[in-house]
Amino acid sequence: MTFKTKSANYINYLLIGILVMALLAAGYLAKQRMTLEQANRHVEVSIESQEVERLARYSQYSERDVLRKFKQTGVSGILLKEQIISDLEPHKAWVMSGSQLLLDDRYRTEMGSNVENIKTGYNYIITNDEKVHEQIKKNLSLKVFGVHVPENTGSIQLVGVPITRSELSTIGLGFDQDFMELAVSEGYNILVQIRNWPQSSPEAIRGVFEYLVPFKDNITAVLFNDFLIPGFPHYLHIINEGIESLEANFAFIETFIFNQQGARQVGLDEPTNVVRFHAIGLNEMVNMTPQRAVDRFTLAITDRNVRVLLVRLFFPMDSSDWMETNVNYLGGGNGFTGLIPAIQREGFNIGEAQPFNMHVTSAEGNILLTFVSGLGVLAGGMLLLRRLDFSKLAYLLGGAGLIIWAGAFIIDPLLNIAIKAMALGSVIIFPSLALILVLNDKSSISPGRAIIKLIHASSISLIGALLMVGLFAHLNFMLKLDQFVGVKVAHLLPILILIFAFYFWRDRDKLPSRIKGLLDAVVTNRHLILVGFFLVAGLIYVTRTGNEAAVVSSLELKVRTLLDNLLIARPRTKEFLIGHPFMLLLFYLGYQHRYLPLLLLGAIGQISMVNTFAHIHTPLLVSMIRTVNGLWLGIAIGVMFILLWRLYKHLEGRLFNE
């Protein structure tokens, strides 16, 4: 697999030159992204209004007292969910059917002759509070057809709807304006969470936002409560108009927690208006501890660009003072660091979350740099094919790739698909190219040279990572409104390429006899056990890859937390514990076909290292630190592997000689 002619060398130099230009373009885009990430340091720490009310009910404190206590810890925001009837019952409002009203002497007396206006097929929300009545009437009039509001009903006020009690129980009835005014008076930012309702129309969506306009100076973020955002799929642009009318941000809930239909479209329409949101689910709070919650929130901020937190309070049954428990949890005390001090220790400020307010984008001034970054992937692919002596195929695929890549910049709808395809190519090509270029010794070398070779191979692999960073230098990917696709393909295809290149193609003159030998080989139980082992290992390898969070054990969570605390950014297990050590051992031993399993295990480190940078919502600096930590730890463990191997060979030699 060598290039024999001068013209071939000139072509290589040309491809390398293109690759260098692509790296410069991608590096510039990466620097822009890092600058943007480093400038965004504000985190909104919010608590839920319903939990404030609960804490007040079970203590000697008023709601104002509770708000003041939490304000002192540093909490900056209050999240209010749109109220439903169960939030108002039984003190502020209650529900009775029309038939029940007609049979109840108290209400018949109160309404007098107007009782005849009651409709028996309706359910009525009843209240004595004029403000609550107005809130219910306005919201139901927007969301339900055929609302009936009887007049002159004495001291009680009614709003009737022709739907069942269970249907009514899910309809949003607006926001608690008294609590909003209280929170604003205590210096809190307001986050509002809007509920969905059947057959949401543009007029109704606009009406919901219009009722919030009086609080626009204090509302910092809007989010949604249900699996479908109101107006999905046809009226999502009205949602963005409403958010814009409040001059607020759209809080995009992390999808592995709550995958809302329509949320991505809302965010993609106005990515400069988006902040990432994280909360611990109510079902998770049952087994949650304050320390685990602090670790989870700080990781969300430092590793995933989350800038809005909803912090649910702890209400342990074995505690005699819920207020003290939560003040310590949020602000620290009694030997506990506290969430807010932990966030500040990471270099963040508490306050209104700021979106990434400018594009680092291929569509806004950097289109040429993105195009050049993609050329680097094409050049790398051609170098790989030429290294395998597929020069004609390299010219054919390179030319076709160039035409398609250039055409995507003309046909705008294809551009996003082309960028993702090119990024996928980068994470497949460069780990494969790195090992094919560097793993060229067939006999043992010194441990020092093996380390140099591992660093050399890693440097080539990381070319693919940098090109991918350049291709994905866009807010859509930084906010995970859009994401890298083909993760499992990116982990499997390089393995297959390396098996082909080293086991079959490197000594291709012996290929027929090797294939015949494989077909004629006697299969023993040992072979079946080995095949089973690799199948299970491969299954684990594939299932543990992906864009969403994998289910992990409590022990693994503790180990991850420990590594995060010790190393700033936790290296990936399959890099420092598997991939890099086995690859270092293979470089030391030199490649022989019997060491193919070592090659496959070692390749995992190179592949994982590049795929680390596919998590574009992770700050670039964190990914870089994680990669460096994985490499030096992997080298240290790999040196131990080499020492163990030498010890084994020494003992084997002595036993054999004796």
Side-chain angles (χ1 to χ4, degrees):
M1 292 188 291
T2 57
F3 302 117
K4 298 179 180 179
T5 64
K6 289 185 178 181
S7 61
N9 287 330
Y10 292 149
I11 292 172
N12 285 342
Y13 295 147
L14 174 62
L15 293 175
I16 291 170
I18 293 172
L19 195 53
V20 170
M21 288 192 298
L23 288 174
L24 291 173
Y28 178 79
L29 291 170
K31 181 177 180 297
Q32 280 191 320
R33 174 181 151 191
M34 285 184 66
T35 301
L36 198 61
E37 289 170 340
Q38 290 299 308
N40 192 295
R41 310 300 288 178
H42 282 81
V43 176
E44 185 89 85
V45 177
S46 62
I47 55 178
E48 198 169 357
S49 63
Q50 291 175 329
E51 295 198 331
V52 171
E53 293 166 350
R54 182 183 180 188
L55 199 52
R57 284 197 304 271
Y58 281 90
S59 69
Q60 73 273 26
Y61 300 104
S62 67
E63 291 176 3
R64 186 180 294 276
D65 293 333
V66 174
L67 288 173
R68 286 179 177 175
K69 285 277 188 181
F70 287 130
K71 190 66 179 175
Q72 290 169 4
T73 69
V75 175
S76 58
I78 288 288
L79 182 139
L80 290 97
K81 287 179 178 286
E82 194 174 7
Q83 292 178 306
I84 53 179
I85 188 61
S86 61
D87 298 321
L88 300 173
E89 290 179 319
H91 303 295
K92 293 184 178 180
W94 54 98
V95 179
M96 292 183 70
S97 69
S99 300
Q100 288 173 316
L101 281 170
L102 292 173
L103 293 172
D104 194 307
D105 291 338
R106 292 171 301 168
Y107 291 111
R108 290 179 62 88
T109 302
E110 183 71 32
M111 289 184 284
S113 61
N114 289 301
V115 74
E116 303 301 330
N117 293 328
I118 298 299
K119 299 182 178 183
T120 57
Y122 273 53
N123 278 299
Y124 287 86
I125 300 179
I126 307 166
T127 181
N128 295 319
D129 188 317
E130 174 65 35
K131 198 170 187 179
V132 172
H133 171 71
E134 193 64 24
Q135 172 189 325
I136 293 170
K137 181 177 70 173
K138 285 181 177 179
N139 281 275
L140 285 180
S141 296
L142 288 171
K143 300 173 183 178
V144 180
F145 294 102
V147 169
H148 178 226
V149 184
E151 297 181 356
N152 303 318
T153 52
S155 62
I156 61 169
Q157 300 181 72
L158 297 87
V159 180
V161 285
I163 58 178
T164 67
R165 174 67 186 263
S166 62
E167 292 170 334
L168 176 59
S169 66
T170 63
I171 302 293
L173 302 176
F175 294 89
D176 186 343
Q177 295 199 10
D178 289 338
F179 194 97
M180 291 176 77
E181 290 168 358
L182 173 62
V184 168
S185 70
E186 293 300 325
Y188 282 89
N189 297 323
I190 302 296
L191 297 82
V192 291
Q193 189 167 22
I194 299 172
R195 297 181 184 274
N196 192 17
W197 65 95
Q199 302 186 94
S200 49
S201 65
E203 295 75 22
I205 296 170
R206 290 190 180 100
V208 169
F209 281 100
E210 284 173 8
Y211 294 147
L212 291 168
V213 167
F215 291 92
K216 65 180 292 186
D217 292 337
N218 305 102
I219 294 174
T220 58
V222 175
L223 59 156
F224 298 91
N225 186 75
D226 303 296
F227 285 102
L228 286 177
I229 285 184
F232 178 83
H234 302 297
Y235 305 126
L236 293 177
H237 62 287
I238 308 296
I239 293 289
N240 267 317
E241 290 175 10
I243 296 172
E244 186 178 349
S245 71
L246 299 177
E247 299 177 7
N249 299 318
F250 169 53
F252 179 65
I253 301 172
E254 291 196 292
T255 53
F256 70 86
I257 296 173
F258 190 43
N259 193 6
Q260 288 182 317
Q261 295 295 305
R264 288 187 187 276
Q265 293 92 319
V266 170
L268 288 169
D269 194 39
E270 289 291 342
T272 56
N273 203 36
V274 176
V275 288
R276 284 173 56 79
F277 175 97
H278 185 80
I280 298 174
L282 284 171
N283 59 323
E284 298 176 276
M285 288 298 293
V286 176
N287 299 313
M288 189 61 60
T289 64
Q291 185 59 60
R292 280 182 59 195
V294 169
D295 293 339
R296 176 162 159 175
F297 280 130
T298 52
L299 189 67
I301 293 166
T302 58
D303 277 31
R304 301 198 299 277
N305 278 330
V306 167
R307 292 298 179 265
V308 180
L309 302 178
L310 172 60
V311 182
R312 291 195 164 91
L313 304 181
F314 285 91
F315 297 96
M317 296 305 293
D318 59 351
S319 172
S320 59
D321 193 337
W322 285 347
M323 177 64 78
E324 182 183 22
T325 297
N326 287 290
V327 166
N328 292 339
Y329 164 46
L330 288 161
N334 291 336
F336 187 73
T337 301
L339 173 61
I340 290 172
I343 293 171
Q344 292 171 328
R345 190 172 58 194
E346 296 290 342
F348 292 88
N349 304 311
I350 307 300
E352 180 181 349
Q354 302 297 323
F356 294 106
N357 57 5
M358 61 175 284
H359 279 287
V360 181
T361 171
S362 58
E364 296 288 337
N366 289 325
I367 190 167
L368 178 61
L369 297 177
T370 304
F371 179 76
V372 174
S373 298
L375 294 182
V377 179
L378 294 175
M382 292 181 69
L383 285 170
L384 175 61
L385 289 170
R386 286 172 59 79
R387 184 68 179 179
L388 294 172
D389 291 338
F390 293 124
S391 294
K392 291 182 179 179
L393 183 61
Y395 302 143
L396 177 63
L397 293 181
L402 178 60
I403 293 170
I404 294 170
W405 181 236
F409 283 78
I410 299 171
I411 307 171
D412 190 62
L414 297 179
L415 181 56
N416 190 49
I417 298 172
I419 286 174
K420 290 180 181 179
M422 200 64 78
L424 178 60
S426 71
V427 301
I428 292 171
I429 290 166
F430 287 94
S432 306
L433 180 62
L435 295 179
I436 290 171
L437 287 175
V438 180
L439 186 57
N440 47 25
D441 290 297
K442 293 188 177 182
S443 57
S444 181
I445 60 175
S446 68
R449 281 193 62 199
I451 292 171
I452 291 172
K453 280 182 171 289
L454 178 58
I455 294 172
H456 183 194
S458 300
S459 300
I460 296 172
S461 294
L462 288 172
I463 291 174
L466 181 54
L467 293 176
M468 178 172 54
V469 168
L471 289 164
F472 281 161
H474 193 293
L475 286 187
N476 294 351
F477 297 101
M478 291 172 63
L479 295 166
K480 211 177 178 182
L481 299 167
D482 205 347
Q483 61 185 348
F484 177 73
V485 294
V487 178
K488 297 189 187 303
V489 173
H491 280 78
L492 282 176
L493 200 52
I495 297 287
L496 298 178
I497 291 172
L498 292 171
I499 291 172
F500 170 78
F502 282 89
Y503 192 76
F504 293 105
W505 198 243
R506 172 169 283 197
D507 299 320
R508 53 188 174 276
D509 54 321
K510 301 176 183 177
L511 184 59
S513 61
R514 184 172 296 115
I515 293 174
K516 185 177 183 301
L518 285 173
L519 294 175
D520 293 340
V522 177
V523 178
T524 65
N525 289 335
R526 183 179 66 176
H527 293 131
L528 292 175
I529 291 170
L530 286 173
V531 169
F533 171 78
F534 278 102
L535 284 175
V536 171
L539 182 63
I540 294 172
Y541 173 61
V542 171
T543 56
R544 293 278 297 191
T545 63
N547 282 311
E548 305 302 342
V551 177
V552 295
S553 66
S554 58
L555 176 61
E556 187 173 352
L557 284 173
K558 290 178 181 177
V559 173
R560 288 182 174 190
T561 300
L562 177 64
L563 290 173
D564 273 317
N565 292 336
L566 291 176
L567 300 174
I568 302 176
R570 169 185 58 83
R572 301 199 180 280
T573 305
K574 54 192 170 187
E575 292 175 31
F576 81 89
L577 205 55
I578 301 173
H580 296 330
F582 280 109
M583 184 53 67
L584 185 63
L585 178 60
L586 181 59
F587 278 128
Y588 168 73
L589 295 173
Y591 178 76
Q592 298 177 38
H593 292 318
R594 59 179 173 164
Y595 295 146
L596 181 66
L598 287 182
L599 172 62
L600 303 185
L601 290 170
I604 289 172
Q606 299 298 305
I607 296 165
S608 173
M609 186 170 57
V610 179
N611 275 272
T612 292
F613 292 84
H615 298 266
I616 306 298
H617 61 291
T618 298
L620 186 54
L621 183 59
V622 172
S623 295
M624 292 167 65
I625 295 172
R626 176 168 287 139
T627 299
V628 171
N629 283 338
L631 191 56
W632 74 260
L633 267 176
I635 289 173
I637 295 173
V639 169
M640 288 191 285
F641 279 19
I642 292 173
L643 293 176
L644 288 172
W645 176 267
R646 293 171 72 165
L647 177 62
Y648 163 73
K649 297 302 288 184
H650 174 71
L651 293 175
E652 182 188 48
R654 292 191 61 181
L655 290 171
F656 181 78
N657 290 332
E658 292 176 1

